PDB file of all heavy atoms in Angstrom:
ATOM      1  N   LEU B  12      55.861 115.027  69.025  1.00 96.00           N
ATOM      2  CA  LEU B  12      54.908 115.273  70.105  1.00 96.00           C
ATOM      3  C   LEU B  12      54.292 116.665  70.005  1.00 96.00           C
ATOM      4  O   LEU B  12      54.995 117.670  69.904  1.00 96.00           O
ATOM      5  CB  LEU B  12      55.628 115.123  71.460  1.00 96.00           C
ATOM      6  CG  LEU B  12      54.761 115.292  72.701  1.00 96.00           C
ATOM      7  CD1 LEU B  12      53.858 114.084  72.889  1.00 96.00           C
ATOM      8  CD2 LEU B  12      55.624 115.494  73.934  1.00 96.00           C
ATOM      9  N   GLY B  32      71.595 106.029  80.865  1.00 94.00           N
ATOM     10  CA  GLY B  32      72.763 106.628  81.511  1.00 94.00           C
ATOM     11  C   GLY B  32      73.060 108.047  81.071  1.00 94.00           C
ATOM     12  O   GLY B  32      73.984 108.679  81.582  1.00 94.00           O
ATOM     13  N   LYS B  45      58.785 123.548  78.565  1.00 96.00           N
ATOM     14  CA  LYS B  45      59.686 122.558  79.172  1.00 96.00           C
ATOM     15  C   LYS B  45      58.956 121.685  80.194  1.00 96.00           C
ATOM     16  O   LYS B  45      59.055 120.450  80.159  1.00 96.00           O
ATOM     17  CB  LYS B  45      60.870 123.275  79.866  1.00 96.00           C
ATOM     18  CG  LYS B  45      61.589 124.270  78.970  1.00 96.00           C
ATOM     19  CD  LYS B  45      62.741 124.961  79.671  1.00 96.00           C
ATOM     20  CE  LYS B  45      62.349 125.798  80.877  1.00 96.00           C
ATOM     21  NZ  LYS B  45      61.565 126.997  80.569  1.00 96.00           N
ATOM     22  N   GLY B  61      51.237 112.564  68.348  1.00 94.00           N
ATOM     23  CA  GLY B  61      52.607 112.089  68.452  1.00 94.00           C
ATOM     24  C   GLY B  61      52.682 110.940  69.431  1.00 94.00           C
ATOM     25  O   GLY B  61      51.646 110.471  69.927  1.00 94.00           O
ATOM     26  N   ILE B  70      54.029 104.672  75.876  1.00 90.00           N
ATOM     27  CA  ILE B  70      53.701 104.921  77.292  1.00 90.00           C
ATOM     28  C   ILE B  70      52.199 104.908  77.549  1.00 90.00           C
ATOM     29  O   ILE B  70      51.762 104.714  78.680  1.00 90.00           O
ATOM     30  CB  ILE B  70      54.274 106.254  77.831  1.00 90.00           C
ATOM     31  CG1 ILE B  70      53.699 107.449  77.072  1.00 90.00           C
ATOM     32  CG2 ILE B  70      55.785 106.259  77.807  1.00 90.00           C
ATOM     33  CD1 ILE B  70      53.843 108.738  77.862  1.00 90.00           C
ATOM     34  N   VAL B  76      55.105 103.008  83.447  1.00 77.00           N
ATOM     35  CA  VAL B  76      55.794 104.283  83.262  1.00 77.00           C
ATOM     36  C   VAL B  76      55.965 105.075  84.555  1.00 77.00           C
ATOM     37  O   VAL B  76      57.058 105.489  84.905  1.00 77.00           O
ATOM     38  CB  VAL B  76      55.053 105.137  82.214  1.00 77.00           C
ATOM     39  CG1 VAL B  76      55.591 106.547  82.200  1.00 77.00           C
ATOM     40  CG2 VAL B  76      55.234 104.500  80.857  1.00 77.00           C
ATOM     41  N   PHE B  90      54.466 115.184 100.931  1.00 96.00           N
ATOM     42  CA  PHE B  90      53.166 114.978 101.575  1.00 96.00           C
ATOM     43  C   PHE B  90      53.223 115.603 102.961  1.00 96.00           C
ATOM     44  O   PHE B  90      53.959 115.151 103.843  1.00 96.00           O
ATOM     45  CB  PHE B  90      52.832 113.492 101.641  1.00 96.00           C
ATOM     46  CG  PHE B  90      52.817 112.853 100.279  1.00 96.00           C
ATOM     47  CD1 PHE B  90      53.436 111.630 100.062  1.00 96.00           C
ATOM     48  CD2 PHE B  90      52.191 113.478  99.212  1.00 96.00           C
ATOM     49  CE1 PHE B  90      53.432 111.043  98.797  1.00 96.00           C
ATOM     50  CE2 PHE B  90      52.181 112.899  97.935  1.00 96.00           C
ATOM     51  CZ  PHE B  90      52.803 111.678  97.737  1.00 96.00           C
ATOM     52  N   LEU B 107      54.144  99.496  95.354  1.00 93.00           N
ATOM     53  CA  LEU B 107      54.913  98.283  95.037  1.00 93.00           C
ATOM     54  C   LEU B 107      54.567  97.125  95.972  1.00 93.00           C
ATOM     55  O   LEU B 107      55.058  96.015  95.794  1.00 93.00           O
ATOM     56  CB  LEU B 107      56.417  98.569  95.113  1.00 93.00           C
ATOM     57  CG  LEU B 107      56.950  99.675  94.192  1.00 93.00           C
ATOM     58  CD1 LEU B 107      58.438  99.870  94.384  1.00 93.00           C
ATOM     59  CD2 LEU B 107      56.637  99.356  92.732  1.00 93.00           C
ATOM     60  N   PRO B 135      57.501 117.727 107.003  1.00 95.00           N
ATOM     61  CA  PRO B 135      58.075 118.594 105.972  1.00 95.00           C
ATOM     62  C   PRO B 135      58.085 120.084 106.330  1.00 95.00           C
ATOM     63  O   PRO B 135      58.985 120.808 105.922  1.00 95.00           O
ATOM     64  CB  PRO B 135      57.170 118.346 104.760  1.00 95.00           C
ATOM     65  CG  PRO B 135      56.691 116.954 104.947  1.00 95.00           C
ATOM     66  CD  PRO B 135      56.537 116.774 106.435  1.00 95.00           C
ATOM     67  N   LEU B 138      61.350 121.602 107.481  1.00 94.00           N
ATOM     68  CA  LEU B 138      62.561 121.507 106.651  1.00 94.00           C
ATOM     69  C   LEU B 138      62.800 122.788 105.867  1.00 94.00           C
ATOM     70  O   LEU B 138      61.860 123.490 105.512  1.00 94.00           O
ATOM     71  CB  LEU B 138      62.422 120.349 105.651  1.00 94.00           C
ATOM     72  CG  LEU B 138      62.234 118.935 106.195  1.00 94.00           C
ATOM     73  CD1 LEU B 138      62.028 117.968 105.040  1.00 94.00           C
ATOM     74  CD2 LEU B 138      63.417 118.520 107.049  1.00 94.00           C
ATOM     75  N   ALA B 153      63.224 106.016  95.936  1.00 96.00           N
ATOM     76  CA  ALA B 153      62.745 104.849  96.666  1.00 96.00           C
ATOM     77  C   ALA B 153      61.952 103.898  95.769  1.00 96.00           C
ATOM     78  O   ALA B 153      61.801 102.719  96.076  1.00 96.00           O
ATOM     79  CB  ALA B 153      61.893 105.277  97.860  1.00 96.00           C
ATOM     80  N   LEU B 160      63.177 112.556  86.207  1.00 97.00           N
ATOM     81  CA  LEU B 160      62.876 113.832  85.577  1.00 97.00           C
ATOM     82  C   LEU B 160      62.933 114.915  86.646  1.00 97.00           C
ATOM     83  O   LEU B 160      62.363 114.747  87.726  1.00 97.00           O
ATOM     84  CB  LEU B 160      61.468 113.807  84.962  1.00 97.00           C
ATOM     85  CG  LEU B 160      61.106 112.641  84.040  1.00 97.00           C
ATOM     86  CD1 LEU B 160      59.638 112.734  83.616  1.00 97.00           C
ATOM     87  CD2 LEU B 160      62.017 112.640  82.816  1.00 97.00           C
ATOM     88  N   LEU B 172      71.057 127.612  99.142  1.00 91.00           N
ATOM     89  CA  LEU B 172      70.669 126.207  99.297  1.00 91.00           C
ATOM     90  C   LEU B 172      70.734 125.426  97.978  1.00 91.00           C
ATOM     91  O   LEU B 172      70.582 124.216  97.960  1.00 91.00           O
ATOM     92  CB  LEU B 172      69.253 126.109  99.866  1.00 91.00           C
ATOM     93  CG  LEU B 172      69.037 126.793 101.220  1.00 91.00           C
ATOM     94  CD1 LEU B 172      67.576 126.703 101.638  1.00 91.00           C
ATOM     95  CD2 LEU B 172      69.936 126.192 102.282  1.00 91.00           C
ATOM     96  N   TRP B 178      74.386 119.139  94.268  1.00 93.00           N
ATOM     97  CA  TRP B 178      75.358 118.132  94.691  1.00 93.00           C
ATOM     98  C   TRP B 178      74.754 116.733  94.627  1.00 93.00           C
ATOM     99  O   TRP B 178      75.386 115.788  94.129  1.00 93.00           O
ATOM    100  CB  TRP B 178      75.819 118.471  96.126  1.00 93.00           C
ATOM    101  CG  TRP B 178      76.581 117.381  96.804  1.00 93.00           C
ATOM    102  CD1 TRP B 178      77.881 117.026  96.572  1.00 93.00           C
ATOM    103  CD2 TRP B 178      76.100 116.495  97.821  1.00 93.00           C
ATOM    104  NE1 TRP B 178      78.238 115.982  97.379  1.00 93.00           N
ATOM    105  CE2 TRP B 178      77.151 115.638  98.167  1.00 93.00           C
ATOM    106  CE3 TRP B 178      74.868 116.343  98.478  1.00 93.00           C
ATOM    107  CZ2 TRP B 178      77.027 114.639  99.129  1.00 93.00           C
ATOM    108  CZ3 TRP B 178      74.741 115.364  99.434  1.00 93.00           C
ATOM    109  CH2 TRP B 178      75.816 114.518  99.756  1.00 93.00           C
ATOM    110  N   GLU B 185      76.791 110.786  88.357  1.00 94.00           N
ATOM    111  CA  GLU B 185      78.020 109.990  88.408  1.00 94.00           C
ATOM    112  C   GLU B 185      77.728 108.502  88.558  1.00 94.00           C
ATOM    113  O   GLU B 185      78.473 107.654  88.075  1.00 94.00           O
ATOM    114  CB  GLU B 185      78.904 110.462  89.569  1.00 94.00           C
ATOM    115  CG  GLU B 185      79.664 111.734  89.232  1.00 94.00           C
ATOM    116  CD  GLU B 185      80.112 112.479  90.473  1.00 94.00           C
ATOM    117  OE1 GLU B 185      80.137 111.867  91.573  1.00 94.00           O
ATOM    118  OE2 GLU B 185      80.411 113.683  90.347  1.00 94.00           O
ATOM    119  N   ALA B 200      74.484 122.868  84.158  1.00 93.00           N
ATOM    120  CA  ALA B 200      74.249 122.255  82.849  1.00 93.00           C
ATOM    121  C   ALA B 200      75.581 121.953  82.160  1.00 93.00           C
ATOM    122  O   ALA B 200      75.810 120.859  81.644  1.00 93.00           O
ATOM    123  CB  ALA B 200      73.402 123.184  81.977  1.00 93.00           C
ATOM    124  N   ILE B 215      62.267 122.362  69.743  1.00 96.00           N
ATOM    125  CA  ILE B 215      63.688 122.270  70.074  1.00 96.00           C
ATOM    126  C   ILE B 215      64.443 123.029  68.988  1.00 96.00           C
ATOM    127  O   ILE B 215      64.403 122.655  67.818  1.00 96.00           O
ATOM    128  CB  ILE B 215      64.142 120.798  70.127  1.00 96.00           C
ATOM    129  CG1 ILE B 215      63.451 120.101  71.302  1.00 96.00           C
ATOM    130  CG2 ILE B 215      65.665 120.723  70.264  1.00 96.00           C
ATOM    131  CD1 ILE B 215      63.767 118.624  71.418  1.00 96.00           C
ATOM    132  N   PHE B 225      76.993 126.237  74.668  1.00 94.00           N
ATOM    133  CA  PHE B 225      77.349 127.448  75.411  1.00 94.00           C
ATOM    134  C   PHE B 225      78.467 128.255  74.760  1.00 94.00           C
ATOM    135  O   PHE B 225      78.503 129.474  74.860  1.00 94.00           O
ATOM    136  CB  PHE B 225      77.750 127.096  76.852  1.00 94.00           C
ATOM    137  CG  PHE B 225      76.599 126.583  77.665  1.00 94.00           C
ATOM    138  CD1 PHE B 225      76.583 125.277  78.150  1.00 94.00           C
ATOM    139  CD2 PHE B 225      75.508 127.401  77.925  1.00 94.00           C
ATOM    140  CE1 PHE B 225      75.514 124.801  78.877  1.00 94.00           C
ATOM    141  CE2 PHE B 225      74.430 126.933  78.662  1.00 94.00           C
ATOM    142  CZ  PHE B 225      74.435 125.622  79.129  1.00 94.00           C
TER     143      PHE B 225
END
Side-chain angles (χ1 to χ4, degrees):
Chain B
L12 182 73
K45 308 180 298 292
I70 62 160
V76 169
F90 302 135
L107 301 179
L138 299 176
L160 309 176
L172 302 176
W178 167 76
E185 281 159 18
I215 293 177
F225 292 115

